[in-house]
């Protein structure tokens, strides 16, 4: 049974996509199927996390070929929590789409492709095979490209072309890296790779291939200097598409880095993780500067997506149990907040009639409800306590100070301050300032059904952000458990291959109490 | 204690609803909760005064070791009483002051939430919890300063206050975490009890600087003072509460808290004494110069904050006692004065002292209490402010040479308080009624209750109507104990004999009178001084932000140009540098010991690929380029055919052919190459260099990988199992549909989505009327 549970994050959205495609031409039916599929995915994610919590890392061998010969799917704490949080976003965005997506887009396959996107995302989280990861990346890429171009406005096509061209470089790098790694080790199973790579004597070659993976995944994650595709494209598609992209896509890149650079490439951390620390700092700075340079709300948020990727990479690059736990917590927090911000920006545009902060305003007066539900993600973005963003930044700050990495600590704080400035500015312009032309209508002016579809996801996600902030312990426990598993890959390898060899690089396990001295 | 803090937050959440249901007396209802909590805290006066410390701890995030740990000692009890006590009156006052305002409910929400945050701050024992509340006060302050949100200057002041305090807040966070790491404990009591002498720790100086940045920004010490006068854009209850009696004292509170841990070093004493004295002096002088009642009071608040910082820094016995006394005295008179000034504003419609005189006839009640509070601020006997000042001088005189320097500054600063007192009472209330005073009217009891109680307390404490035994030896002694880290008592007195401190007081009062009488001249002198100061810092603020913005725009414009070609250049340069650097610096270059066997056919096909590539680059038309490119693809297919993978070769051949056909079809619709479309000569050379470098790096990696012996486990297993376990003779087929069938499932999905995508792109064309920007639209 557990194998079915492990494979469910792929099967459920795939089946949903197929059913939606079968209901081609019947949009209302597609909507119901899509939402039901997302909810089912959420249930599966919750069950999976509970299962991993109770039984530890669970592997499933596809077609029942033993690892490393077939394809193995693996659920550990990290994979399970990512599936769960992704499913919540799918539900939120599916509901929002009821109120926002244009009929043309729905008629031409928004729902099935949205679900195949989830297939790619969840498949990436759950797979234990490097080439299989590549396949899910491809599913994700083609689905995202299709969603990006769907609707075909000039602005969209421009963004989509840049997105596709630059992402194909990432895909090619990834494929090349997989091939090279196969050449070095003769295997594709990640657990097997972890073992075999330690036996390769030519460590310089391994490090070079590792850097190629940093490039491939880093480009997906939109890190410096490989992020150009993101600000070029993220603000162009329909709001629900923007939201799901901002929430999930780059995080899959971060996830892949987290996975491979704790399990497989840990032979030369001084170089690989040192390089990532530089990348992290520069990504934060480039992202926050970009967000300050634009006046379009959605573009500012797009740049913030870049900036905050830097923090997660920072956690990985510091490579201590506390830092990794911080990165995992950050992932969960950031997915919720970014999705929420883009959904909120969409609603703000609907009410004020604009995307540009200079032409927006008056929402504090017009719609206190939106002010409250937007205040939460904005404040969390800026890292104000006691919201989720604060804890993630606190953990990373502490991890960097403990490791005496003062420069990155300072950079993370400065970027935090600049983000506060951005948030203060957005608040003043969007909410406080009177609308330059006429008072905007409140949410009350929207038809009731649509209003519910638009507002409910915002309320849900804001409530999550508050809950993760006030009751951070459960999420922090999962993050710490995930960090323990990542820092000590032996149980993972054993779960996949069935044989446990103690890794030569002894890693100190993370006791919950040891996270903070 | 947690219950008290939570109760206030719950009250805040309910406030808008309560207000909606009972708009006319909601303030009285809402004030009941803080009043009850004040009384509850007052019950601790006895035990805490006797030296007891009440603690409470509830786990919050055990994984991180963060606790909701609270500690009630003298210092926190005094602050708690001020916060809830003054808070009660502020809530009542707000009801009268903002009566009928459309966002009154939200106002209650913000200000009561602030009360909870502030209370949590002073009670917190866990330093992370302390920081959480610290930042919450910054956010609520932001929301309150910007309350008049359609006014651009309010918005600017709100963002300014947020950024200055947030800047300090982040420094403080880093300092606190470092402190926790150094001391091995994340609670204040744990740090004090740890026995580790932080002063001797290698990280002492960074910790000190970071925490001071936090405290100085919050408590508006020069040069971070400029945000406080601007914060007066907030409604008066906010100024009275946050920016005078409570929030700005958070920094002063923190310094007092840190005194046992970080204090009593040379750098501590000199830094705090210097910054404190300069701030006090500056605030006092600027107060005399201002004409807006609230600005006068804001500057006198600066003076008080500077004084308190200075007192913590000096660290002498009397300085500690003076801290306790003056803290209480200031909160009482300043709360009263601000509320009084608000009532004047409310009654006359102006706060400009030049337009105000002769108000006495119309606003007697307000006048009386302003007078009482102003006399306490002026430091005249028998008011409590006088006692504070006496203690202050005693404390400075104990501090040796440094103390004398400080005395010189503080005499002037204290003298200005007398002048400022004249400015807020004498000028508006005496003399001939001005035009504004003609139609002035007294406010209701909600407006004068707060000033009445606070101002009367200032007199009563001075006169000794409230037993000094309990207060001086009890609460204030406990405050001094918290500061020193050892037991201390405060023996309050009005008359202490002919001491040097008394002499200095007399000088101060004389100087102050002189200043008030010669106000015109003093002002002119100060105007010059002012031009060189706050105005500049405040204006520089805009320049700094504009500069930062310009940097952001410049950097982003330079990189995010909107041209795909530029992105490609950046991306490939980045990739090449990262890979090339690793190859060179990490010993990645490796040549196979023996070159793989080659044939003439292989060399020929490789040469063909090179020719095809060059042809693609040099092609003069799109068609020529695609034909050249297909030469490369076909050569690769031939490679597969020759070297034992005919099925892959055939697949490649078909894909290649199809691709070329499709591209040619599309090309027919595209215009011909434009001249210069592929960049200038320099650009082409640069791109060529990047391409060659990228190719070289890739080749080097490939050679290195080939040099590593190849593992054939999987291949062997597939060969063995494909018929036995997979029931297929074609190994590749079995791999595709059995061993790795899951990959195939994914690829089938890709093809299906691609099909849908083509359909959608061809058919679903959204109205093109939407104002999409031109190509390159992602540039800022």
């Amino acid at each position: 049974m557990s194998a079915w549970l492990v494979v469910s994050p792929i099967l459920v959205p795939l089946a949903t996509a197929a059913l939606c495609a079968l209901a081609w031409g019947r949009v209302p039916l597609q909507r119901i199927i899509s939402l039901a599929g997302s909810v089912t995915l959420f249930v599966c994610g919750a069950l999976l996390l509970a299962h991993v919590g109770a039984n530890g890392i669970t592997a499933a061998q596809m077609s029942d070929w033993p690892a490393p010969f077939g394809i193995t799917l693996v659920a550990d704490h990290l994979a399970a929590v990512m599936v769960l949080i992704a499913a919540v976003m799918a539900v939120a965005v599916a509901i929002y789409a009821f109120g926002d997506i244009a009929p043309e887009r729905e008629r031409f396959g928004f729902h099935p492709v949205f679900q195949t996107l989830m297939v790619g995302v969840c498949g990436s989280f759950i797979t234990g095979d490097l080439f299989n990861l590549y396949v899910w990346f491809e599913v994700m890429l083609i689905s995202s490209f299709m969603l990006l171009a769907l609707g075909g406005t000039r602005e969209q096509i421009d963004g989509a072309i840049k997105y596709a061209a630059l992402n194909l470089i990432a895909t090619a790098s990834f494929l090349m890296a997989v091939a090279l790694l196969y050449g070095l080790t003769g295997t594709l199973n990640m657990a097997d790779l972890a073992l075999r790579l330690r036996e390769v004597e030519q460590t310089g070659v391994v490090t070079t291939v590792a850097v190629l993976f940093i490039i491939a995944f880093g480009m997906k994650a939109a890190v410096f200097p490989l992020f150009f595709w993101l600000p070029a494209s993220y603000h162009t598609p329909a709001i629900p598409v923007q939201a799901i992209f901002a929430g999930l896509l780059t995080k899959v890149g971060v996830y892949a880095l987290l996975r491979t650079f704790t399990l497989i490439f840990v032979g030369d951390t001084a170089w690989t993780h040192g390089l990532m620390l530089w990348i992290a700092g520069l990504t934060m700075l480039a992202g926050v500067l970009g967000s300050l340079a634009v006046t379009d709300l959605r573009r500012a948020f797009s740049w913030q997506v870049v900036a905050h990727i830097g923090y997660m990479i920072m956690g990985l690059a510091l490579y201590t149990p506390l830092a990794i736990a911080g990165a995992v917590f950050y992932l969960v927090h950031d997915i919720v907040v970014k999705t929420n911000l883009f959904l909120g920006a969409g609603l703000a545009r609907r009410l004020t009639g604009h995307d540009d902060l200079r032409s927006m305003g008056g929402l504090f007066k017009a719609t206190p409800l939106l002010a409250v539900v937007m205040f939460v993600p904005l404040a969390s973005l800026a890292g104000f306590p006691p919201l989720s963003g604060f804890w993630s930044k606190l953990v990373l700050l502490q991890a960097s100070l403990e490791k005496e990495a003062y420069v990155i600590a300072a950079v993370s704080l400065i970027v935090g301050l600049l983000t506060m400035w951005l948030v203060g500015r957005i608040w003043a312009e969007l909410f406080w300032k009177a609308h330059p032309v006429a008072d905007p209508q409140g949410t009350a002016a929207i038809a009731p059904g649509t209003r519910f579809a638009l507002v409910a996801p915002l309320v849900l996600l804001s409530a999550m952000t508050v809950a993760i902030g006030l009751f951070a312990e459960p999420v922090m426990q999962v993050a710490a458990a995930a960090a323990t598993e990542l820092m000590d890959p032996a149980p993972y390898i054993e779960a996949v291959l069935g044989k446990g060899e103690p890794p030569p690089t002894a890693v100190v396990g993370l006791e919950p109490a040891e996270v903070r001295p | 204690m947690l219950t008290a803090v939570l109760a206030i937050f719950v009250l805040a959440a309910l406030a808008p609803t309560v207000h909606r249901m009972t708009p006319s007396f909601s303030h009285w209802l809402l004030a009941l909760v803080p009043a009850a909590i004040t009384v509850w805290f007052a019950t601790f006066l006895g035990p805490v005064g006797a030296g007891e410390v009440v603690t409470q701890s509830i786990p919050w995030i055990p994984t991180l070791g963060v606790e909701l740990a609270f500690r009630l000692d003298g210092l926190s009890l005094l602050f708690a009483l001020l916060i809830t006590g003054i808070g009660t009156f502020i809530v009542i006052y707000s009801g009268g002051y903002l009566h009928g305002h459309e966002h009154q409910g939200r106002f209650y929400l913000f200000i009561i939430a602030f009360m909870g945050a502030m209370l949590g701050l002073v009670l917190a024992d866990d330093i992370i919890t302390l920081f959480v509340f610290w930042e919450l006060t910054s956010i609520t302050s932001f929301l309150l300063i910007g309350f008049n949100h359609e006014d651009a200057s309010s918005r600017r002041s709100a963002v300014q206050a947020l950024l200055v305090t947030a800047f300090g807040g982040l420094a403080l966070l880093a300092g606190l975490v470092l402190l926790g790491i150094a001391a091995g404990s994340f609670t204040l009591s744990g740090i004090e009890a740890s026995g580790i002498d932080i002063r001797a720790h290698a990280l002492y100086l960074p910790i000190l600087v970071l925490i001071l940045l936090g405290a100085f920004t919050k408590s508006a010490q020069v040069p971070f003072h400029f945000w406080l006068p601007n914060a007066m854009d907030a409604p008066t209850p906010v100024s009275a509460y946050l920016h005078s009696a409570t929030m700005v004292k958070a920094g002063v509170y923190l310094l007092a808290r840190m005194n046992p841990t970080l204090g009593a070093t040379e750098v501590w004493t000199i830094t705090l004494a210097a910054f404190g004295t300069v701030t006090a002096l500056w605030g006092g002088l600027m107060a005399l110069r201002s004409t807006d009642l609230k600005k006068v009071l804001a500057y006198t608040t600066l003076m008080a904050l500077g004084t308190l910082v200075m007192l913590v820094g000096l660290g002498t016995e009397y300085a500690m006692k003076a801290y306790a006394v003056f803290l209480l005295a200031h909160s009482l008179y300043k709360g009263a004065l601000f509320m009084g000034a608000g009532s004047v504003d409310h009654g006359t419609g102006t706060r400009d002292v030049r337009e105000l005189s002769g108000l006495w006839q119309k606003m007697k009640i307000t006048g009386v209490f302003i007078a009482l509070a102003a006399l306490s601020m002026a430091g005249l006997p028998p008011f409590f402010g006088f006692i504070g000042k006496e203690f202050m001088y005693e404390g400075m005189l104990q501090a040796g040479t440094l103390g004398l320097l400080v005395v010189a500054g503080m005499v002037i600063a204290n003298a200005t308080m007398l002048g400022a007192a004249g400015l807020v009472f004498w000028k508006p209330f005496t003399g001939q009624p001005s035009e504004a005073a003609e139609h002035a009217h007294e406010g209701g009891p909600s407006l004068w209750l707060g000033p009445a109680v606070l101002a009367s307390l200032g007199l009563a404490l001075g006169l000794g109507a409230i037993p000094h035994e309990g207060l001086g030896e009890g609460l204030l002694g406990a405050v001094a104990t918290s500061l020193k880290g050892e037991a201390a008592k405060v023996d309050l007195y009005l008359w202490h004999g002919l001491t040097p401190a008394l002499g200095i007081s007399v000088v101060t009062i004389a100087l102050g009178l002189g200043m008030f009488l010669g106000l015109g001249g003093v002002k002119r002198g100060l105007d010059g001084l002012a031009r060189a100061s706050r105005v500049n810092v405040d204006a520089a603020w805009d320049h700094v932000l504009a500069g930062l913005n310009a940097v952001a725009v410049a950097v982003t414009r330079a990189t995010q140009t909107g041209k795909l070609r530029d992105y490609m250049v950046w991306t490939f340069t980045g990739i090449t540098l990262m890979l090339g650097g690793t190859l060179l610096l990490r010993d990645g270059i490796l040549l196979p010991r023996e070159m793989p066997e080659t044939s003439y056919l292989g060399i020929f096909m490789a040469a063909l690929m090179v020719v095809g590539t060059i042809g693609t680059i040099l092609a003069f038309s799109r068609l020529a380029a695609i034909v050249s490119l297909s030469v490369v693809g076909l050569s690769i297919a031939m490679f597969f055919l020759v070297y034992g993978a005919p099925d892959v070769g055939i697949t490649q051949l078909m894909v290649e052919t199809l691709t070329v056909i499709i591209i040619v079809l599309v090309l027919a619709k595209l215009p011909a190459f434009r001249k210069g479309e592929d960049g200038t000569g320099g650009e082409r050379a640069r791109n060529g260099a990047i391409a060659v470098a990228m190719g070289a790096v890739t080749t080097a990696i490939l050679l290195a990988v080939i040099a590593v012996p190849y593992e054939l486990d999987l291949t062997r297993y597939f060969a063995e199992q494909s018929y036995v376990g997979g029931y297929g003779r074609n190994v590749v087929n079995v791999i595709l549909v059995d061993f790795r069938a899951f990959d195939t499932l994914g690829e089938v999905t890709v093809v299906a989505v691609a099909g849908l995508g083509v359909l959608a792109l061809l058919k679903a064309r959204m109205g093109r009327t939407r104002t999409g920007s031109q190509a390159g639209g992602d540039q800022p």
Side-chain angles (χ1 to χ4, degrees), chain B residues 300-341:
Chain B
T300 61
T301 304
L302 276 187
M303 182 273 170
L305 294 170
T307 306
L308 289 166
V309 168
M310 179 271 296
L311 288 172
V312 177
L314 288 184
T316 61
E317 196 191 336
Y318 261 90
M320 299 289 137
K321 295 177 184 177
Y323 176 92
V325 176
F326 185 64
L327 178 71
L328 177 57
H330 174 255
S331 298
L332 293 179
Y333 71 65
K334 195 52 67 65
L337 282 177
F338 258 115
M339 286 193 257

Side-chain angles (χ1 to χ4, degrees), chain B residues 152 184 297 328 336 581 633 705 751:
Chain B
L297 293 174
L328 177 57
V705 169
V751 175

Side-chain angles (χ1 to χ4, degrees), chain A residues 69-131:
Chain A
F69 305 106
I71 290 171
T72 313
L73 303 186
V74 196
D76 61 354
H77 273 96
L78 176 61
V81 79
M82 294 302 288
V83 168
L84 178 62
I85 204 78
V88 178
M89 297 312 114
V91 173
V93 171
I95 296 174
Y96 191 93
F98 291 177
D100 189 80
I101 203 83
E104 295 93 326
R105 287 180 170 132
E106 271 190 309
R107 264 210 315 280
F108 289 96
F110 169 79
H111 294 292
V113 180
F114 176 72
Q115 290 296 335
T116 57
L117 183 76
M118 294 310 295
V119 172
V121 169
C122 293
S124 307
F125 293 148
I126 217 79
T127 188
D129 186 283
L130 209 51
F131 185 77

Side-chain angles (χ1 to χ4, degrees), chain A residues 168-504:
Chain A
L168 281 173
I169 298 177
T171 305
S173 306
F174 187 9
L175 190 59
M176 187 162 91
V178 171
L180 293 172
L181 204 56
Y182 186 73
L184 285 175
T185 60
T187 187
L188 293 167
N189 180 293
M190 293 203 262
D192 198 31
L193 272 170
L195 291 179
R196 291 189 188 225
L197 217 48
R198 288 178 193 139
E199 289 155 20
V200 177
E201 287 158 16
Q202 295 81 352
T203 54
V205 183
V206 176
T207 306
T208 311
V209 174
V211 170
L212 192 53
F213 274 100
I214 294 183
I215 289 165
F217 294 147
M219 203 147 160
K220 287 282 171 191
V223 300
F224 182 90
L226 309 166
F227 57 68
F228 298 97
W229 57 271
L230 194 152
S233 61
Y234 264 30
H235 60 284
T236 59
I239 296 291
V241 176
Q242 289 174 16
I244 203 79
F245 279 20
L248 294 179
L249 291 196
T250 49
K251 275 62 168 196
V252 179
V254 176
Y255 168 86
L257 282 172
L258 259 176
R259 178 65 70 203
T260 49
F261 281 83
T262 52
L263 177 62
I264 304 175
F265 302 111
V266 288
D268 190 3
T269 51
W271 180 264
T272 51
H273 293 62
L275 176 67
M276 281 193 277
L277 201 57
W278 275 96
I279 289 177
L282 291 168
T283 305
M284 288 180 211
L285 283 171
V288 82
L289 288 179
S291 71
L292 289 170
V294 293
T295 52
D296 182 309
L297 190 57
R298 296 165 308 154
R299 283 188 188 179
F301 289 155
S302 298
W303 279 104
Q304 278 292 318
V305 172
V306 174
H308 287 260
I309 292 297
Y311 283 94
M312 294 167 231
I313 306 289
M314 169 183 164
L316 172 60
L318 289 169
Y319 197 52
T320 65
L322 182 64
I324 299 283
V328 175
F329 192 94
Y330 216 116
L331 268 169
V332 174
H333 139 77
D334 199 60
I335 286 174
V336 180
V337 165
K338 291 284 152 54
T339 308
N340 202 1
L341 284 175
F342 274 87
L343 293 181
L347 190 49
R349 173 170 77 175
R350 185 182 276 246
L351 294 176
T352 61
H354 260 280
D355 301 317
D356 196 304
L357 282 172
R358 289 170 296 197
S359 313
M360 299 168 99
L363 291 178
F364 189 70
K365 204 168 160 182
T367 164
L369 175 67
L370 183 64
V372 172
V373 291
M374 278 292 275
F375 182 77
V376 170
L378 280 172
S380 189
L381 181 78
F384 280 116
L387 297 167
S388 54
F390 169 69
W391 299 115
S392 22
K393 288 201 175 73
L394 171 70
V395 173
L396 290 180
L397 176 69
Q398 191 183 335
S400 57
L401 291 178
E402 274 173 8
K403 227 190 161 192
E404 302 183 358
Y406 297 125
V407 176
I408 194 75
V411 170
S412 72
L413 288 176
I414 291 167
V415 171
L417 182 65
L418 292 175
T419 308
M420 286 178 187
W421 180 28
L422 176 78
V423 164
R425 214 158 77 171
I426 289 177
W427 186 260
E429 291 283 301
L430 183 58
F431 288 95
W432 276 347
K433 184 185 71 186
H435 193 280
V437 183
D439 277 346
Q441 292 177 314
T443 40
I446 305 172
T450 313
R451 182 169 70 219
F452 178 81
L454 295 178
V455 174
L458 282 164
V459 173
L460 170 75
L461 296 180
S462 293
M464 275 184 74
T465 301
V466 173
I468 297 175
L470 289 180
F471 308 102
E473 179 59 14
V475 183
M476 200 57 90
Q477 268 178 6
V478 171
T484 312
E485 288 166 356
L486 292 175
M487 290 303 281
D488 175 17
Y492 181 97
I493 295 171
E494 198 186 325
V496 174
L497 298 178
K499 59 181 172 187
E501 284 177 40

Side-chain angles (χ1 to χ4, degrees), chain A residues 65 108 129 131-132 138 146 151 162 182 196 204 228 268 271 299 364 420 425 432 470 473 476 512 516, chain B residues 60 62-64 66 106 149 186 549 560 562 582 586 710 713 738 740 743 747 757 764 766 777-779:
Chain A
W65 291 105
F108 289 96
D129 186 283
F131 185 77
N132 194 236
E138 267 199 273
M146 154 104 189
K162 287 168 182 162
Y182 186 73
R196 291 189 188 225
F228 298 97
D268 190 3
W271 180 264
R299 283 188 188 179
F364 189 70
M420 286 178 187
R425 214 158 77 171
W432 276 347
L470 289 180
E473 179 59 14
M476 200 57 90
R516 218 177 79 178
Chain B
W60 188 6
T63 309
L64 296 179
V66 177
R106 284 181 219 183
H149 57 91
F186 276 76
N549 209 54
Q560 201 75 19
T582 311
R586 289 324 253 197
Y710 186 56
D713 288 4
D738 197 339
R740 301 190 66 90
D743 284 344
E747 293 297 347
M766 301 275 287
D778 58 296
Q779 200 192 13

